[in-house]
Structures are given as structure tokens and as C-alpha cells.
Amino acid sequence: MTTPTIKDISGRRIIDSRGLWTLEVELRLSNGSRAWASVPQGKSVGSYEAVCVDERDALRALESVIDPAVRGFRAGDQQEFDERLIALDGTTRKERLGANTTLALSWAYARASAISQGRHLWEYLADLADTDPDFPQLYANLINGGLHAPNDLDIQEYLVIPRERDPEKATDIVLKMYHALREVLVAQKGACGGLVGDEGGFGPDFRDNLEPLQFFSLVAREVGVEQSVSFGLDIAANSLFMEEDELNHLIDEACDTYPVNYLEDPFREDAFEAFAALTQRRGGQARIAGDDLTTTNLERMKRAHKERSINTMIVKPNQIGTVTETLEAIEHARAYGWQVIVSHRSGETTDDAIADLAFAVGADGIKLGAPARGERTAKYNRLLLLARQFRKKD
Ligand code: PGA
Ligand code: ZN
């Protein structure tokens, strides 16, 4: 059987979950296989992320630069395809073509290749990465603050993390917490208690930055999942104007009062030392995760490793811009002994490829927001489907 090649690519503007234009790409192969991909966009974007260009520039680049350069390229050679995109761009941060452009194409190529091989996307990715698929823990962001909700919370995300890895059982726990939380927030905070922020979590005003954790504890007891969950915080400190002392104080209070064992971006994006001190102090019990600190970027990761800043890393494909570079970052994170958590962005589309990615590499976790809003539930539902596909294979 001859290997199919790229027949053509096309792009269009679509809107993301925050009502902003983003990019969708479709790729057709010579054997008739076709696949699409769309890309998310962040709001609390780290300075070291690859650059996303305006979607109209992305469309022009697709048509005038990329399409002529990839037509006729064979399917199934992800690394070489991505390297071609990287070379066409020629900058360290994808400034010319845009990481949104390269990532949309890279995912569409991966999907089309998988389809033409008669495989699921996760099978294709696991083969590429040479990893054993496994279900990630769910990191469900049930209360939104910071830049993601117009309330008074400084902390951006309050996460519920079921210990259970089976997607159906874990989702069930998240749903129980979500519904009970809504009820108690509406009862105590009025109608606003039931309104949601960018990632589907509730977003009313709170007494202080730790009150959401008090609600989590209350609700976990109420629905009988107290022993089955832990809590996490994405402080997203880069968007805050808090001193490190103040942040450390807040973290200590959170971890000493509640079952919090996950802390993401507890300090600003260049605070490698403050991260290291916290990892030294609390890293035995808690996952200290870099997001804006590391930006899925090998150079930033090397430094974080050298300075022992973290024990966990967030992986966002659009921080770097291709599937190959994302897998490379995951491989390095693992070699450093870090836990790996694949993550969505606040501005999402219904593209569910990150669920395949997290499962394919056996990631320790996946951040996918609350079980609300189509762009978030798409990822939950994809994981539920993968569980079925995987069980059937065994
Ligand atoms: P963003 O934030 O998608 O708005 O950049 C998500 C995060 O900080 O994890
Ligand atoms: Zn983050």
C-alpha cells in the first residue's frame, strides 16, 4: 500500500469559548482521509510562551507559505512534518507563522495520519512517544477567580482532584461536587453563586481567598467523597501583585487547613528560587507545578530542573506550537522525575485532542475545567469514550 500524501490544507476563522476569533485547519490526504483541528488561546499568558499571531495573519501564512511547502508530503511522519513547520517559521518563538498556525496544522496532520492508518489518535500518539497509555487524574477547576472571573478572588483556579483514575468514576465524583457546590453557593451567595467563569467553575465573590476551600470541604463531606478527593490551587501568581512572603503565607494556611496537595504557579514566572524553596519545604507532600514558569519549553525546563524549582509540570501544546515539541517536553519532564499534567486553556474550542494526548502518554493529570460549557465537556466526554475504546482492546 502506498503512503498517502497531503493533498491540500485550508483554514478558517472560528470563535473560541470567550467569543474571540481563533483558527481551525483542515487537512486532506491523497487517499481521501481528512481531518481538522482548532486551537485554544490563553488569558493569563506567560511571557515565555510561543507567539500566537492574529488569525487573519495565520490564514495568510497557511495559504501563501505553508500550503505550497507541505503539499505532497507523506502522512505518518510527524517528526519530519513538524520539523518542516519549525524550519518554515525559522524563529525561536514561532513569531513568523504563529504557534497557533503550526499547532493547528500539526494536530490536523496527526489526526489525518492516524485516520489513514486506521488508528485512534491516542494510539498514534502513544506509538510516536513510545509510551504506555493510562488514564490521568482529573483536575477539575470548580471555582474560578483571578483573570478568569469578574469576582474578588486573587487565586485563579480552585481544583478538585479525584484520586480515582477511571474516567467514569472520577467524572462522577466531579459531578457530585459540582452540583452540591452550586446548590450551597446559590443558597449562601444568591443568584451569582450559580454563574460560571471562563473555565466553567463558579465565580461569585468570596469572603477571602481561602473561603472556596472551605466550601469544597463542606461539599465533599456532604456528598461523601471526602476520602476520595484532594484540592489544588492554580495561583497564577504572574497576574498578581502579591509579595512572595504574602504568597507563602497564603499557601501555608491553605495546605495546613485543607487537603491541598497541588500548587501551580505559586510565584511569578521568573521566581525560580522561590519555587525551589517551596518545593524544598512542601514538595514531599504537594505537587509544585510550573506553568508560566516552564511554558512547555525545554530551555525553561532545563533551568527549573537545575534549580530544583518544581516537581510537576503543566503541558500546554499551544505554549510551544507542535505535537513533536510537546512530546519532547513530556519526555524531558519525565526524565527529570516530574509529574506531567496536560492542560486546556481558558479560551477553548471543542477540539478534544488534549484528552488523547494525556491518555496516550499516561499523564499524571489533565486540567479540563468544570463539567460545564461545551468546550470543557468535550474533553470529559472524549476521556469517557477512550475508556470504552481501551477496555474493548484488552
Ligand atoms: P490561561 O490560564 O489559559 O488563561 O492562560 C490557564 C492557566 O493558567 O493554567
Ligand atoms: Zn496555570
Side-chain angles (χ1 to χ4, degrees), residues 216-273:
F216 276 5
S217 291
L218 176 86
V219 160
R221 262 198 311 278
E222 198 179 289
V223 298
V225 300
E226 213 181 356
Q227 302 305 319
S228 317
V229 294
S230 62
F231 306 149
L233 300 172
D234 180 1
I235 297 173
N238 218 41
S239 315
L240 293 178
F241 294 96
M242 268 195 219
E243 298 293 329
E244 284 174 9
D245 279 356
E246 206 182 339
L247 288 163
N248 271 313
H249 181 75
L250 187 66
I251 289 163
D252 285 342
E253 205 182 332
C255 294
D256 293 340
T257 319
Y258 302 100
V260 171
N261 64 0
Y262 176 78
L263 298 161
E264 180 180 331
D265 279 350
F267 306 104
R268 296 182 67 82
E269 63 189 359
D270 285 317
F272 287 89
E273 272 180 40

Short mmCIF file of all heavy atoms in Angstrom, two decimals, residues 216-273:
data_model
loop_
_atom_site.label_atom_id
_atom_site.label_comp_id
_atom_site.label_asym_id
_atom_site.label_seq_id
_atom_site.Cartn_x
_atom_site.Cartn_y
_atom_site.Cartn_z
N PHE A 216 -15.42 23.70 49.44
CA PHE A 216 -15.03 22.38 48.90
C PHE A 216 -15.13 21.32 50.01
O PHE A 216 -15.68 20.23 49.81
CB PHE A 216 -13.59 22.40 48.38
CG PHE A 216 -13.43 22.91 46.97
CD1 PHE A 216 -14.49 23.42 46.25
CD2 PHE A 216 -12.18 22.84 46.33
CE1 PHE A 216 -14.33 23.88 44.94
CE2 PHE A 216 -12.00 23.30 45.03
CZ PHE A 216 -13.08 23.82 44.35
N SER A 217 -14.57 21.63 51.18
CA SER A 217 -14.56 20.66 52.28
C SER A 217 -15.98 20.33 52.71
O SER A 217 -16.33 19.16 52.90
CB SER A 217 -13.80 21.22 53.49
OG SER A 217 -12.44 21.31 53.18
N LEU A 218 -16.77 21.37 52.84
CA LEU A 218 -18.17 21.19 53.26
C LEU A 218 -18.91 20.27 52.30
O LEU A 218 -19.57 19.29 52.69
CB LEU A 218 -18.84 22.58 53.28
CG LEU A 218 -20.32 22.64 53.59
CD1 LEU A 218 -20.50 22.69 55.11
CD2 LEU A 218 -20.98 23.87 52.96
N VAL A 219 -18.76 20.57 51.01
CA VAL A 219 -19.49 19.84 49.99
C VAL A 219 -18.96 18.41 49.85
O VAL A 219 -19.73 17.46 49.67
CB VAL A 219 -19.38 20.64 48.66
CG1 VAL A 219 -19.68 19.77 47.49
CG2 VAL A 219 -20.32 21.82 48.69
N ALA A 220 -17.65 18.24 49.97
CA ALA A 220 -17.07 16.89 49.86
C ALA A 220 -17.62 16.00 50.96
O ALA A 220 -17.94 14.82 50.74
CB ALA A 220 -15.55 16.96 49.94
N ARG A 221 -17.77 16.59 52.17
CA ARG A 221 -18.36 15.83 53.29
C ARG A 221 -19.81 15.50 52.99
O ARG A 221 -20.25 14.37 53.13
CB ARG A 221 -18.30 16.66 54.57
CG ARG A 221 -17.13 16.31 55.47
CD ARG A 221 -17.33 16.81 56.90
NE ARG A 221 -17.74 18.20 57.01
CZ ARG A 221 -16.89 19.25 56.94
NH1 ARG A 221 -15.61 19.05 56.77
NH2 ARG A 221 -17.35 20.47 57.06
N GLU A 222 -20.51 16.51 52.51
CA GLU A 222 -21.95 16.37 52.25
C GLU A 222 -22.24 15.26 51.25
O GLU A 222 -23.18 14.50 51.43
CB GLU A 222 -22.44 17.71 51.70
CG GLU A 222 -23.93 17.94 51.76
CD GLU A 222 -24.24 19.33 51.19
OE1 GLU A 222 -23.92 20.32 51.86
OE2 GLU A 222 -24.77 19.40 50.05
N VAL A 223 -21.44 15.16 50.19
CA VAL A 223 -21.74 14.13 49.17
C VAL A 223 -20.92 12.86 49.38
O VAL A 223 -20.93 11.95 48.56
CB VAL A 223 -21.54 14.67 47.72
CG1 VAL A 223 -22.47 15.82 47.42
CG2 VAL A 223 -20.09 15.06 47.44
N GLY A 224 -20.20 12.80 50.49
CA GLY A 224 -19.50 11.57 50.89
C GLY A 224 -18.27 11.23 50.06
O GLY A 224 -17.96 10.06 49.86
N VAL A 225 -17.55 12.26 49.56
CA VAL A 225 -16.34 11.95 48.77
C VAL A 225 -15.07 12.50 49.45
O VAL A 225 -14.02 12.59 48.83
CB VAL A 225 -16.44 12.49 47.31
CG1 VAL A 225 -17.61 11.88 46.59
CG2 VAL A 225 -16.52 14.01 47.28
N GLU A 226 -15.20 12.83 50.72
CA GLU A 226 -14.08 13.45 51.45
C GLU A 226 -12.78 12.65 51.33
O GLU A 226 -11.70 13.23 51.19
CB GLU A 226 -14.50 13.53 52.91
CG GLU A 226 -13.94 14.73 53.62
CD GLU A 226 -14.39 14.73 55.07
OE1 GLU A 226 -15.18 13.85 55.46
OE2 GLU A 226 -13.93 15.62 55.80
N GLN A 227 -12.90 11.34 51.40
CA GLN A 227 -11.70 10.48 51.33
C GLN A 227 -11.25 10.25 49.88
O GLN A 227 -10.20 9.66 49.64
CB GLN A 227 -11.97 9.11 51.97
CG GLN A 227 -12.41 9.17 53.43
CD GLN A 227 -11.41 9.95 54.29
OE1 GLN A 227 -10.20 9.81 54.13
NE2 GLN A 227 -11.92 10.79 55.17
N SER A 228 -12.06 10.67 48.93
CA SER A 228 -11.77 10.34 47.52
C SER A 228 -11.20 11.51 46.72
O SER A 228 -10.94 11.37 45.54
CB SER A 228 -13.06 9.90 46.81
OG SER A 228 -13.80 9.03 47.61
N VAL A 229 -11.04 12.66 47.36
CA VAL A 229 -10.54 13.84 46.62
C VAL A 229 -9.46 14.59 47.40
O VAL A 229 -9.40 14.50 48.62
CB VAL A 229 -11.67 14.86 46.31
CG1 VAL A 229 -12.69 14.31 45.35
CG2 VAL A 229 -12.34 15.36 47.59
N SER A 230 -8.63 15.30 46.66
CA SER A 230 -7.79 16.32 47.28
C SER A 230 -8.07 17.62 46.51
O SER A 230 -8.79 17.62 45.51
CB SER A 230 -6.32 15.93 47.23
OG SER A 230 -5.91 15.83 45.89
N PHE A 231 -7.49 18.71 47.00
CA PHE A 231 -7.74 20.00 46.37
C PHE A 231 -6.44 20.59 45.82
O PHE A 231 -5.34 20.23 46.27
CB PHE A 231 -8.33 20.99 47.37
CG PHE A 231 -9.57 20.50 48.08
CD1 PHE A 231 -9.86 20.91 49.37
CD2 PHE A 231 -10.46 19.62 47.45
CE1 PHE A 231 -10.99 20.46 50.03
CE2 PHE A 231 -11.60 19.17 48.09
CZ PHE A 231 -11.86 19.58 49.40
N GLY A 232 -6.59 21.49 44.86
CA GLY A 232 -5.41 22.15 44.30
C GLY A 232 -5.71 23.60 44.00
O GLY A 232 -6.87 24.02 43.91
N LEU A 233 -4.63 24.37 43.86
CA LEU A 233 -4.76 25.79 43.52
C LEU A 233 -3.85 26.12 42.35
O LEU A 233 -2.68 25.72 42.35
CB LEU A 233 -4.31 26.67 44.70
CG LEU A 233 -5.06 26.52 46.03
CD1 LEU A 233 -4.34 27.33 47.11
CD2 LEU A 233 -6.51 26.98 45.88
N ASP A 234 -4.40 26.80 41.34
CA ASP A 234 -3.52 27.48 40.38
C ASP A 234 -3.53 28.94 40.77
O ASP A 234 -4.51 29.65 40.50
CB ASP A 234 -3.98 27.29 38.93
CG ASP A 234 -3.03 28.01 37.95
OD1 ASP A 234 -2.03 28.60 38.43
OD2 ASP A 234 -3.29 27.98 36.74
N ILE A 235 -2.46 29.34 41.45
CA ILE A 235 -2.41 30.72 41.96
C ILE A 235 -2.20 31.71 40.82
O ILE A 235 -2.62 32.85 40.88
CB ILE A 235 -1.32 30.82 43.05
CG1 ILE A 235 -1.73 29.89 44.22
CG2 ILE A 235 -1.15 32.25 43.54
CD1 ILE A 235 -0.71 29.73 45.30
N ALA A 236 -1.58 31.24 39.73
CA ALA A 236 -1.30 32.10 38.56
C ALA A 236 -0.70 33.43 39.03
O ALA A 236 -1.17 34.50 38.67
CB ALA A 236 -2.57 32.31 37.73
N ALA A 237 0.35 33.31 39.84
CA ALA A 237 0.90 34.47 40.55
C ALA A 237 1.44 35.54 39.61
O ALA A 237 1.62 36.69 40.02
CB ALA A 237 1.99 34.03 41.51
N ASN A 238 1.66 35.16 38.36
CA ASN A 238 2.17 36.15 37.42
C ASN A 238 1.17 37.28 37.17
O ASN A 238 1.55 38.37 36.79
CB ASN A 238 2.51 35.46 36.11
CG ASN A 238 3.76 36.03 35.51
OD1 ASN A 238 4.72 36.30 36.23
ND2 ASN A 238 3.75 36.27 34.22
N SER A 239 -0.10 36.98 37.37
CA SER A 239 -1.13 38.01 37.15
C SER A 239 -1.43 38.76 38.44
O SER A 239 -2.36 39.56 38.48
CB SER A 239 -2.42 37.36 36.65
OG SER A 239 -2.15 36.42 35.65
N LEU A 240 -0.69 38.48 39.51
CA LEU A 240 -0.98 39.10 40.81
C LEU A 240 0.12 40.08 41.21
O LEU A 240 1.24 39.99 40.72
CB LEU A 240 -1.04 38.02 41.90
CG LEU A 240 -2.18 37.02 41.82
CD1 LEU A 240 -2.04 36.01 42.94
CD2 LEU A 240 -3.51 37.74 41.91
N PHE A 241 -0.21 40.96 42.14
CA PHE A 241 0.82 41.86 42.65
C PHE A 241 1.08 41.56 44.11
O PHE A 241 1.13 42.43 44.94
CB PHE A 241 0.39 43.32 42.44
CG PHE A 241 0.33 43.67 40.99
CD1 PHE A 241 -0.87 43.63 40.30
CD2 PHE A 241 1.48 43.99 40.28
CE1 PHE A 241 -0.93 43.92 38.95
CE2 PHE A 241 1.43 44.27 38.92
CZ PHE A 241 0.22 44.24 38.26
N MET A 242 1.22 40.28 44.43
CA MET A 242 1.46 39.90 45.82
C MET A 242 2.93 39.62 46.03
O MET A 242 3.58 39.02 45.17
CB MET A 242 0.67 38.63 46.13
CG MET A 242 -0.70 38.87 46.69
SD MET A 242 -1.26 37.31 47.41
CE MET A 242 -2.95 37.37 46.94
N GLU A 243 3.43 39.99 47.18
CA GLU A 243 4.83 39.71 47.52
C GLU A 243 4.98 38.22 47.81
O GLU A 243 4.03 37.55 48.20
CB GLU A 243 5.22 40.48 48.80
CG GLU A 243 5.15 41.99 48.66
CD GLU A 243 6.20 42.53 47.69
OE1 GLU A 243 7.28 41.91 47.59
OE2 GLU A 243 5.92 43.54 47.02
N GLU A 244 6.23 37.72 47.66
CA GLU A 244 6.45 36.29 47.91
C GLU A 244 6.10 35.89 49.34
O GLU A 244 5.57 34.80 49.57
CB GLU A 244 7.91 35.92 47.56
CG GLU A 244 8.10 35.83 46.05
CD GLU A 244 9.53 35.62 45.62
OE1 GLU A 244 10.40 35.37 46.47
OE2 GLU A 244 9.77 35.71 44.39
N ASP A 245 6.38 36.77 50.30
CA ASP A 245 6.06 36.45 51.71
C ASP A 245 4.56 36.23 51.88
O ASP A 245 4.13 35.29 52.54
CB ASP A 245 6.46 37.63 52.62
CG ASP A 245 7.94 37.57 52.91
OD1 ASP A 245 8.58 36.59 52.48
OD2 ASP A 245 8.44 38.52 53.55
N GLU A 246 3.82 37.12 51.26
CA GLU A 246 2.36 37.04 51.36
C GLU A 246 1.85 35.75 50.70
O GLU A 246 0.96 35.07 51.23
CB GLU A 246 1.78 38.27 50.64
CG GLU A 246 0.42 38.71 51.12
CD GLU A 246 -0.09 39.91 50.31
OE1 GLU A 246 0.74 40.62 49.68
OE2 GLU A 246 -1.30 40.10 50.28
N LEU A 247 2.44 35.42 49.55
CA LEU A 247 2.04 34.20 48.84
C LEU A 247 2.38 32.96 49.68
O LEU A 247 1.57 32.04 49.81
CB LEU A 247 2.73 34.13 47.48
CG LEU A 247 2.19 35.13 46.44
CD1 LEU A 247 3.18 35.30 45.29
CD2 LEU A 247 0.84 34.68 45.91
N ASN A 248 3.57 32.95 50.27
CA ASN A 248 3.97 31.81 51.11
C ASN A 248 3.02 31.65 52.29
O ASN A 248 2.65 30.53 52.66
CB ASN A 248 5.40 32.00 51.62
CG ASN A 248 6.41 31.41 50.63
OD1 ASN A 248 6.24 30.29 50.16
ND2 ASN A 248 7.42 32.18 50.31
N HIS A 249 2.62 32.77 52.84
CA HIS A 249 1.71 32.73 53.99
C HIS A 249 0.36 32.12 53.57
O HIS A 249 -0.19 31.26 54.26
CB HIS A 249 1.54 34.16 54.51
CG HIS A 249 0.65 34.24 55.70
ND1 HIS A 249 1.06 33.84 56.96
CD2 HIS A 249 -0.65 34.63 55.83
CE1 HIS A 249 0.05 33.99 57.80
NE2 HIS A 249 -1.00 34.47 57.14
N LEU A 250 -0.13 32.57 52.43
CA LEU A 250 -1.41 32.07 51.90
C LEU A 250 -1.33 30.56 51.63
O LEU A 250 -2.23 29.79 51.96
CB LEU A 250 -1.72 32.83 50.60
CG LEU A 250 -3.07 32.62 49.94
CD1 LEU A 250 -4.19 33.17 50.82
CD2 LEU A 250 -3.11 33.35 48.58
N ILE A 251 -0.21 30.15 51.04
CA ILE A 251 0.00 28.73 50.72
C ILE A 251 0.04 27.89 51.99
O ILE A 251 -0.60 26.83 52.08
CB ILE A 251 1.31 28.56 49.92
CG1 ILE A 251 1.13 29.12 48.50
CG2 ILE A 251 1.77 27.11 49.88
CD1 ILE A 251 2.42 29.40 47.76
N ASP A 252 0.77 28.38 52.99
CA ASP A 252 0.87 27.62 54.24
C ASP A 252 -0.50 27.47 54.88
O ASP A 252 -0.86 26.38 55.34
CB ASP A 252 1.83 28.32 55.22
CG ASP A 252 3.28 28.10 54.79
OD1 ASP A 252 3.51 27.17 53.99
OD2 ASP A 252 4.15 28.86 55.24
N GLU A 253 -1.25 28.55 54.89
CA GLU A 253 -2.57 28.49 55.50
C GLU A 253 -3.47 27.50 54.75
O GLU A 253 -4.17 26.69 55.35
CB GLU A 253 -3.19 29.88 55.52
CG GLU A 253 -4.21 30.02 56.63
CD GLU A 253 -4.87 31.39 56.63
OE1 GLU A 253 -4.22 32.37 56.19
OE2 GLU A 253 -6.04 31.46 57.06
N ALA A 254 -3.40 27.55 53.41
CA ALA A 254 -4.24 26.64 52.60
C ALA A 254 -3.86 25.19 52.86
O ALA A 254 -4.72 24.34 53.10
CB ALA A 254 -4.07 26.98 51.11
N CYS A 255 -2.56 24.90 52.83
CA CYS A 255 -2.12 23.50 52.96
C CYS A 255 -2.27 22.97 54.39
O CYS A 255 -2.46 21.77 54.58
CB CYS A 255 -0.66 23.35 52.54
SG CYS A 255 -0.41 23.68 50.79
N ASP A 256 -2.17 23.87 55.38
CA ASP A 256 -2.29 23.40 56.77
C ASP A 256 -3.74 23.26 57.21
O ASP A 256 -4.02 22.57 58.19
CB ASP A 256 -1.53 24.37 57.71
CG ASP A 256 -0.03 24.31 57.45
OD1 ASP A 256 0.43 23.30 56.86
OD2 ASP A 256 0.68 25.27 57.82
N THR A 257 -4.64 23.89 56.50
CA THR A 257 -6.06 23.85 56.91
C THR A 257 -6.88 22.87 56.09
O THR A 257 -7.85 22.31 56.57
CB THR A 257 -6.68 25.27 56.78
OG1 THR A 257 -5.74 26.24 57.22
CG2 THR A 257 -7.97 25.38 57.58
N TYR A 258 -6.49 22.70 54.81
CA TYR A 258 -7.31 21.89 53.89
C TYR A 258 -6.44 20.84 53.20
O TYR A 258 -5.21 20.98 53.17
CB TYR A 258 -7.96 22.81 52.83
CG TYR A 258 -8.81 23.90 53.42
CD1 TYR A 258 -8.30 25.20 53.56
CD2 TYR A 258 -10.10 23.62 53.86
CE1 TYR A 258 -9.09 26.20 54.14
CE2 TYR A 258 -10.88 24.63 54.43
CZ TYR A 258 -10.37 25.91 54.57
OH TYR A 258 -11.14 26.89 55.14
N PRO A 259 -7.06 19.80 52.63
CA PRO A 259 -6.26 18.78 51.94
C PRO A 259 -5.78 19.25 50.56
O PRO A 259 -6.13 18.68 49.54
CB PRO A 259 -7.23 17.59 51.83
CG PRO A 259 -8.59 18.22 51.81
CD PRO A 259 -8.50 19.46 52.66
N VAL A 260 -4.95 20.29 50.58
CA VAL A 260 -4.42 20.85 49.32
C VAL A 260 -3.06 20.20 49.04
O VAL A 260 -2.15 20.29 49.85
CB VAL A 260 -4.23 22.39 49.44
CG1 VAL A 260 -3.48 22.93 48.24
CG2 VAL A 260 -5.58 23.07 49.59
N ASN A 261 -2.95 19.52 47.92
CA ASN A 261 -1.65 18.89 47.60
C ASN A 261 -1.21 19.21 46.17
O ASN A 261 -0.42 18.47 45.58
CB ASN A 261 -1.70 17.38 47.83
CG ASN A 261 -2.69 16.70 46.90
OD1 ASN A 261 -3.33 17.36 46.08
ND2 ASN A 261 -2.82 15.38 47.01
N TYR A 262 -1.72 20.31 45.63
CA TYR A 262 -1.31 20.73 44.29
C TYR A 262 -1.24 22.25 44.25
O TYR A 262 -2.23 22.94 44.55
CB TYR A 262 -2.31 20.23 43.24
CG TYR A 262 -1.98 20.72 41.86
CD1 TYR A 262 -0.96 20.12 41.12
CD2 TYR A 262 -2.66 21.79 41.29
CE1 TYR A 262 -0.63 20.59 39.85
CE2 TYR A 262 -2.35 22.26 40.02
CZ TYR A 262 -1.33 21.65 39.32
OH TYR A 262 -1.00 22.12 38.06
N LEU A 263 -0.08 22.78 43.89
CA LEU A 263 0.10 24.24 43.84
C LEU A 263 0.77 24.61 42.52
O LEU A 263 1.93 24.26 42.28
CB LEU A 263 1.00 24.69 45.00
CG LEU A 263 0.43 24.42 46.40
CD1 LEU A 263 1.54 24.45 47.44
CD2 LEU A 263 -0.66 25.44 46.74
N GLU A 264 0.03 25.29 41.66
CA GLU A 264 0.56 25.67 40.34
C GLU A 264 0.90 27.16 40.34
O GLU A 264 0.17 27.98 40.91
CB GLU A 264 -0.52 25.37 39.29
CG GLU A 264 -0.12 25.72 37.87
CD GLU A 264 -1.24 25.38 36.87
OE1 GLU A 264 -2.02 24.44 37.12
OE2 GLU A 264 -1.34 26.07 35.85
N ASP A 265 1.99 27.48 39.69
CA ASP A 265 2.47 28.87 39.60
C ASP A 265 2.25 29.65 40.90
O ASP A 265 1.58 30.70 40.91
CB ASP A 265 1.79 29.60 38.43
CG ASP A 265 2.46 29.28 37.09
OD1 ASP A 265 3.56 28.67 37.08
OD2 ASP A 265 1.91 29.66 36.03
N PRO A 266 2.87 29.16 41.99
CA PRO A 266 2.70 29.86 43.26
C PRO A 266 3.42 31.22 43.30
O PRO A 266 3.12 32.05 44.15
CB PRO A 266 3.32 28.90 44.28
CG PRO A 266 4.25 28.05 43.49
CD PRO A 266 3.66 27.93 42.13
N PHE A 267 4.37 31.41 42.37
CA PHE A 267 5.12 32.68 42.31
C PHE A 267 5.20 33.13 40.86
O PHE A 267 4.81 32.42 39.94
CB PHE A 267 6.52 32.50 42.89
CG PHE A 267 6.50 31.93 44.28
CD1 PHE A 267 6.83 30.59 44.50
CD2 PHE A 267 6.11 32.70 45.36
CE1 PHE A 267 6.77 30.04 45.78
CE2 PHE A 267 6.05 32.16 46.65
CZ PHE A 267 6.38 30.83 46.85
N ARG A 268 5.82 34.30 40.66
CA ARG A 268 5.88 34.87 39.31
C ARG A 268 6.77 34.04 38.38
O ARG A 268 7.53 33.19 38.83
CB ARG A 268 6.35 36.33 39.38
CG ARG A 268 5.34 37.21 40.13
CD ARG A 268 5.77 38.65 40.15
NE ARG A 268 5.72 39.23 38.82
CZ ARG A 268 4.63 39.70 38.23
NH1 ARG A 268 3.48 39.65 38.86
NH2 ARG A 268 4.67 40.22 37.02
N GLU A 269 6.68 34.33 37.10
CA GLU A 269 7.27 33.43 36.09
C GLU A 269 8.80 33.34 36.11
O GLU A 269 9.36 32.42 35.52
CB GLU A 269 6.78 33.80 34.69
CG GLU A 269 7.21 35.19 34.27
CD GLU A 269 6.55 35.65 32.98
OE1 GLU A 269 5.76 34.90 32.39
OE2 GLU A 269 6.83 36.79 32.57
N ASP A 270 9.48 34.28 36.75
CA ASP A 270 10.94 34.17 36.83
C ASP A 270 11.45 33.84 38.23
O ASP A 270 12.66 33.88 38.47
CB ASP A 270 11.59 35.47 36.33
CG ASP A 270 11.52 35.57 34.81
OD1 ASP A 270 11.77 34.54 34.14
OD2 ASP A 270 11.17 36.65 34.30
N ALA A 271 10.54 33.50 39.12
CA ALA A 271 10.92 33.27 40.52
C ALA A 271 11.39 31.83 40.74
O ALA A 271 10.87 31.12 41.60
CB ALA A 271 9.75 33.62 41.42
N PHE A 272 12.41 31.40 39.97
CA PHE A 272 12.89 30.01 40.09
C PHE A 272 13.30 29.67 41.53
O PHE A 272 13.08 28.57 42.00
CB PHE A 272 14.09 29.79 39.15
CG PHE A 272 13.70 29.72 37.70
CD1 PHE A 272 13.64 30.86 36.91
CD2 PHE A 272 13.39 28.49 37.11
CE1 PHE A 272 13.29 30.79 35.58
CE2 PHE A 272 13.03 28.41 35.76
CZ PHE A 272 12.98 29.57 35.00
N GLU A 273 13.89 30.66 42.21
CA GLU A 273 14.38 30.42 43.58
C GLU A 273 13.24 30.24 44.57
O GLU A 273 13.29 29.35 45.42
CB GLU A 273 15.24 31.59 44.04
CG GLU A 273 16.69 31.43 43.66
CD GLU A 273 17.52 32.61 44.14
OE1 GLU A 273 17.29 33.09 45.27
OE2 GLU A 273 18.38 33.04 43.36
#
